[in-house]
Amino acid sequence: MTKRVYNFYPGPATLPLPVLERAQEELLDFAGTGMSVMEISHRSKEWDKVMSDANSLVRELMGVPTDYKVLWLSGGASTQFFMVPLNLQQPGKPMEYVNTGGWSTKAIKEANLYGEVKIIASSEDKKFSYIPQNIEFNEGTAFAHISSNNTLYGTEWHYMPKVPSDVPLVSDMSSNIMSKPVKVKDYGVIYAGAQKNIGPAGITLVIVREDLLDRVPENIPTMQKWKIHAERNSLYNTPPVFPIYICKLALEYTKEVGGVKEMERRNEEKAKVIYDVIDSSDGFYEGHAREDSRSLMNVTFTMASSELEDKCVKEGEARGLIGLKGHRSVGGMRASIYNAMTIDGVKTLAEYLREFQSENQ
Amino acid sequence: MTKRVYNFYPGPATLPLPVLERAQEELLDFAGTGMSVMEISHRSKEWDKVMSDANSLVRELMGVPTDYKVLWLSGGASTQFFMVPLNLQQPGKPMEYVNTGGWSTKAIKEANLYGEVKIIASSEDKKFSYIPQNIEFNEGTAFAHISSNNTLYGTEWHYMPKVPSDVPLVSDMSSNIMSKPVKVKDYGVIYAGAQKNIGPAGITLVIVREDLLDRVPENIPTMQKWKIHAERNSLYNTPPVFPIYICKLALEYTKEVGGVKEMERRNEEKAKVIYDVIDSSDGFYEGHAREDSRSLMNVTFTMASSELEDKCVKEGEARGLIGLKGHRSVGGMRASIYNAMTIDGVKTLAEYLREFQSENQ
């Protein structure tokens, strides 16, 4: 019997145990080929099936309309930070961003290389502890960009900003993709590094409306064009086969247990367990995010002193509760409870936090 | 007992069985963490050790001098095709390339975006069946670029071109890295997609001399700067952890069995077994590459008709000899016999080819 801890790391993050078991079982012999999935050609029929299954599962689970392409790309969301403006820029039009934290800030920095960027709202004034409300993007904008969940600060968008109908909304959903249903048709582009909610590190999911593929300038490197990857079904060059394969298994698992709607139910239940501990702690635990902006994925909180926080992290580790240290930009603690985190894990954490409070108050 | 075929795919390609077995064994519990290696944070001490072991192994196996950086990047060699000129360009200076096939051609296409490219030699006149000899790059060149092994055509450089001392030589070693010793100090930059000789798809090894890191222009995307990846020890963003981990295991295995020198001995032995079949077939099998340019990694050959070739591929498959179909640009057949292909695999193939000849002549 394998020892298994509860892993609250912000990403790479915990994966569903049945997915890992399946990967382990067939690691030396994939689909009866006598080869590992890592060893089969990306031009083989066995690989074709993995890719086409992964695509179909994304389409089905997210309800992706037929006029959108599903791409599997390299380089993480950090690469999309420049590929978004590069592929969507329009001469003479500004690009509009909302700044809700570290990842938005990085996305904005890359966009600045390609033209005028307007930051139409920011929550930097209060340490990114909230999502600006009543956001409206402007006419005449090349595209509108948000980060739907903010891993570092534990905030999440719980409403749709207003976007003019001819302005594509772009969302970095790295840390909450498939955690709840979204209407894909409300977006021009959705992108997400896989390593939080849908798989391991090393692969990025990009969903892009077809008409937007034609905006890309001619004279840029081939690998930077969504259009090329769309035309080649993400096989322009050798893709990261193993990460895509694990995503496929995780998507199958998501479907099996009830899909994205069921994920939302679980995620709401899980988040409530932890936020209840915080809210009933009489200030022993202090939530970082404003209540209306609380993330269901990353619960951030602080305590009276960093010594106490360190103690809490350390004693949690000893009990098999791993990865609770907060990001240096917020300090304190953070429990990342993505799709694959179980309700048992969350309840065990809640119990521990209550105990820790009663022992250290 | 797992069924295991002989896999002659050109990449993704066969991996050493002990590496796969080790990965399988610890897939659910890496280094006693109670997590899969896919689930641990890239900022954890356990991951630090994987990266630092992988780096040390590359340095040791290849004899990398201390003034070179070892980087693990995303996006494959196809991404380096533009990152090389982008990071090494110098205003007013041309970039010199030798065109030895499909990959060189793609590299040249990307370089054209950044300035003047001079193709100082090409073997396109004879279907890329040879490596141009006596190559000398010119003074005043920003950098000199070669593709050290050509997967599609089965050719390989067996000598060092002459390069002025102040011109960095850049080599795409994707398909023969660590197949034989090279003097790293003769190169400015070495890059290689991992999926042929050192690991699975999804990770690219880049070895770059430190002084070259400062050539990069300021105003380009962060992810495109080798300098940033060098400063952050390949952890600027979340790296493809699993592919790097498999590379680490494969490098450990390479060291264990005798290092790169032993790989060279094995590769020479393996290649000879197949080329001997071709050379003693009285023209039944026709080698594509000129003798002085024959690759030790990819043996390409044709037969009298494509029907015969198809038959040979198909009957081979039935015997567990997989991936022998040649690339569409050459046609015919190709046996890719990278580091991880065993001498047994090669002997089994040779035996089959002799049999096939006697039955079909």
Side-chain angles (χ1 to χ4, degrees):
Chain A
M1 181 59 194
T2 305
K3 160 187 138 192
R4 183 110 177 122
V5 298
Y6 290 118
N7 169 0
F8 297 96
Y9 275 135
T14 194
L15 288 163
L17 184 57
V19 166
L20 294 171
E21 286 171 340
R22 171 82 182 274
Q24 183 177 45
E25 191 189 313
E26 62 192 23
L27 197 75
L28 295 192
D29 184 8
F30 175 69
T33 57
M35 295 173 268
S36 174
V37 67
M38 285 181 265
E39 301 176 300
I40 62 173
S41 171
H42 62 299
R43 309 286 180 199
S44 65
K45 64 178 188 305
E46 292 87 3
W47 182 252
D48 275 351
K49 182 159 163 46
V50 177
M51 287 290 282
S52 102
D53 286 355
N55 287 342
S56 303
L57 284 159
V58 170
R59 289 188 175 278
E60 185 181 342
L61 287 165
M62 294 186 67
V64 179
T66 52
D67 59 331
Y68 284 70
K69 292 287 189 185
V70 172
L71 312 179
W72 299 92
L73 305 182
S74 294
S78 295
T79 292
Q80 296 309 312
F81 291 165
F82 77 78
M83 280 180 70
V84 165
L86 180 53
N87 280 271
L88 293 182
Q89 63 189 315
Q90 291 190 302
K93 287 190 179 180
M95 305 168 271
E96 292 191 345
Y97 281 70
V98 175
N99 189 0
T100 52
W103 299 114
S104 305
T105 306
K106 286 193 171 185
I108 290 164
K109 180 176 172 246
E110 304 301 322
N112 271 312
L113 297 169
Y114 298 98
E116 187 195 354
V117 176
K118 285 190 181 158
I119 301 169
I120 65 158
S122 167
S123 51
E124 198 171 3
D125 58 334
K126 290 185 177 157
K127 228 179 160 183
F128 295 117
S129 59
Y130 67 98
I131 300 293
Q133 301 295 301
N134 306 312
I135 290 297
E136 293 186 32
F137 288 96
N138 298 298
E139 296 280 355
T141 299
F143 63 89
H145 186 283
I146 62 171
S147 310
S148 62
N149 184 76
N150 301 278
T151 340
L152 311 187
Y153 300 93
T155 63
E156 185 171 6
W157 286 73
H158 294 300
Y159 76 100
M160 285 297 287
K162 280 197 182 143
V163 188
S165 62
D166 60 342
V167 173
L169 177 61
V170 180
S171 181
D172 174 2
M173 293 193 186
S174 294
S175 50
N176 70 347
I177 192 159
M178 296 200 203
S179 69
K180 60 185 177 188
V182 298
K183 279 188 192 134
V184 174
K185 74 168 179 45
D186 291 343
Y187 299 85
V189 179
I190 291 169
Y191 65 94
Q195 69 270 19
K196 296 164 194 287
N197 258 318
I198 52 169
I203 192 71
T204 312
L205 178 64
V206 179
I207 301 171
V208 53
R209 210 176 62 216
E210 275 172 8
D211 65 295
L212 297 172
L213 295 172
D214 291 324
R215 288 196 184 182
V216 68
E218 259 311 301
N219 288 324
I220 65 164
T222 314
M223 283 293 287
Q224 296 176 12
K225 297 177 178 176
W226 287 332
K227 190 182 170 67
I228 293 286
H229 296 295
E231 286 167 0
R232 306 297 182 86
N233 195 24
S234 308
L235 288 168
Y236 168 71
N237 72 329
T238 313
V241 294
F242 195 80
I244 295 174
Y245 156 77
I246 295 289
C247 286
K248 192 211 77 152
L249 295 184
L251 295 170
E252 278 172 351
Y253 177 78
T254 304
K255 181 179 167 184
E256 232 172 84
V257 299
V260 170
K261 190 78 199 152
E262 168 64 10
M263 285 300 135
E264 181 183 41
R265 192 197 63 73
R266 292 183 186 189
N267 289 327
E268 283 173 355
E269 183 188 348
K270 279 152 45 185
K272 187 173 182 312
V273 170
I274 309 289
Y275 283 120
D276 279 354
V277 173
I278 293 172
D279 292 342
S280 64
S281 74
D282 283 327
F284 185 78
Y285 301 115
E286 195 79 59
H288 176 73
R290 202 171 70 186
E291 272 194 47
D292 67 359
S293 306
R294 280 178 167 177
S295 167
L296 298 189
M297 301 283 99
N298 312 94
V299 181
T300 49
F301 54 100
T302 54
M303 299 166 67
S305 73
S306 63
E307 289 72 27
L308 206 52
E309 291 163 353
D310 287 347
K311 190 176 180 216
C312 188
V313 169
K314 212 163 181 175
E315 292 183 6
E317 263 172 27
R319 289 191 183 206
L321 301 165
I322 307 295
L324 290 169
K325 196 172 164 54
H327 190 266
R328 61 186 179 281
S329 53
V330 180
M333 301 181 64
R334 171 173 53 178
S336 296
I337 50 176
Y338 301 117
N339 280 5
M341 173 53 65
T342 59
I343 182 76
D344 279 354
V346 162
K347 284 182 177 163
T348 307
L349 174 59
E351 198 181 326
Y352 165 62
L353 291 177
R354 286 212 178 85
E355 244 182 82
F356 185 84
Q357 178 176 1
S358 70
E359 280 167 16
N360 292 277
Q361 204 155 24
Chain B
M1 183 57 194
T2 306
K3 160 188 138 194
R4 184 111 177 121
V5 298
Y6 290 118
N7 170 0
F8 297 96
Y9 276 136
T14 195
L15 288 163
L17 185 57
V19 166
L20 294 171
E21 286 171 339
R22 170 82 182 272
Q24 183 177 44
E25 191 190 313
E26 63 190 23
L27 198 74
L28 295 191
D29 184 8
F30 175 70
T33 57
M35 294 173 270
S36 174
V37 68
M38 285 182 266
E39 300 177 301
I40 61 173
S41 170
H42 62 299
R43 308 287 179 200
S44 65
K45 64 179 189 305
E46 293 86 2
W47 183 252
D48 275 351
K49 180 156 164 50
V50 176
M51 287 290 282
S52 100
D53 285 355
N55 287 342
S56 303
L57 284 159
V58 170
R59 288 189 175 279
E60 184 181 344
L61 286 166
M62 293 186 67
V64 179
T66 53
D67 59 332
Y68 285 69
K69 292 286 190 187
V70 172
L71 311 179
W72 299 92
L73 304 182
S74 293
S78 294
T79 292
Q80 297 310 312
F81 291 165
F82 75 78
M83 281 181 70
V84 165
L86 180 53
N87 280 271
L88 294 183
Q89 63 190 312
Q90 290 190 303
K93 287 190 180 179
M95 304 168 271
E96 293 191 343
Y97 281 70
V98 175
N99 190 359
T100 51
W103 300 114
S104 305
T105 305
K106 286 193 170 186
I108 289 163
K109 180 175 171 248
E110 304 301 322
N112 271 312
L113 297 168
Y114 298 98
E116 185 194 356
V117 176
K118 285 191 181 159
I119 301 169
I120 64 159
S122 167
S123 50
E124 199 171 4
D125 57 335
K126 290 186 178 157
K127 231 180 157 182
F128 294 118
S129 58
Y130 66 99
I131 300 294
Q133 302 296 301
N134 307 311
I135 290 297
E136 292 187 32
F137 288 96
N138 298 298
E139 296 281 353
T141 297
F143 63 88
H145 185 283
I146 62 171
S147 310
S148 62
N149 184 76
N150 301 278
T151 340
L152 312 187
Y153 300 93
T155 63
E156 185 171 4
W157 286 74
H158 294 299
Y159 76 101
M160 285 297 286
K162 279 197 183 146
V163 189
S165 62
D166 59 342
V167 172
L169 177 62
V170 180
S171 181
D172 174 1
M173 292 192 186
S174 294
S175 49
N176 71 346
I177 191 159
M178 298 200 201
S179 69
K180 60 185 177 187
V182 298
K183 278 188 192 137
V184 175
K185 74 168 180 43
D186 291 343
Y187 299 86
V189 179
I190 291 169
Y191 64 95
Q195 69 270 17
K196 296 165 193 289
N197 257 320
I198 53 171
I203 191 71
T204 313
L205 178 64
V206 179
I207 301 171
V208 52
R209 210 175 62 215
E210 275 173 8
D211 64 295
L212 297 173
L213 295 171
D214 291 323
R215 288 196 184 183
V216 68
E218 257 314 300
N219 288 323
I220 65 163
T222 314
M223 283 293 287
Q224 296 175 13
K225 296 177 178 175
W226 288 332
K227 190 181 169 69
I228 293 285
H229 296 294
E231 285 167 1
R232 306 298 182 84
N233 196 23
S234 308
L235 287 169
Y236 168 73
N237 72 330
T238 314
V241 294
F242 195 79
I244 296 174
Y245 155 76
I246 296 289
C247 286
K248 191 211 78 155
L249 295 184
L251 295 171
E252 279 172 351
Y253 177 78
T254 304
K255 181 177 166 183
E256 232 173 84
V257 299
V260 171
K261 190 80 198 152
E262 168 64 10
M263 285 300 134
E264 181 182 42
R265 192 197 62 73
R266 291 183 186 191
N267 289 328
E268 283 173 354
E269 183 187 349
K270 279 152 45 186
K272 186 172 183 313
V273 170
I274 309 289
Y275 285 119
D276 279 354
V277 173
I278 293 172
D279 292 342
S280 63
S281 73
D282 282 327
F284 184 78
Y285 300 114
E286 194 78 59
H288 176 74
R290 200 172 71 188
E291 272 193 46
D292 66 0
S293 305
R294 281 177 165 176
S295 167
L296 299 190
M297 300 284 101
N298 313 95
V299 181
T300 50
F301 54 100
T302 54
M303 298 166 68
S305 75
S306 63
E307 289 72 28
L308 206 53
E309 290 163 356
D310 288 347
K311 189 176 180 215
C312 188
V313 169
K314 212 163 181 176
E315 293 182 6
E317 263 172 27
R319 290 192 184 204
L321 302 165
I322 306 296
L324 290 169
K325 197 173 163 52
H327 190 267
R328 61 187 178 282
S329 53
V330 180
M333 300 182 63
R334 170 175 54 180
S336 296
I337 50 175
Y338 301 117
N339 280 5
M341 173 53 64
T342 59
I343 183 75
D344 278 353
V346 162
K347 283 183 179 163
T348 307
L349 173 59
E351 197 181 327
Y352 166 61
L353 291 176
R354 286 211 178 85
E355 244 181 82
F356 185 84
Q357 177 175 2
S358 69
E359 280 166 18
N360 291 278
Q361 204 155 23

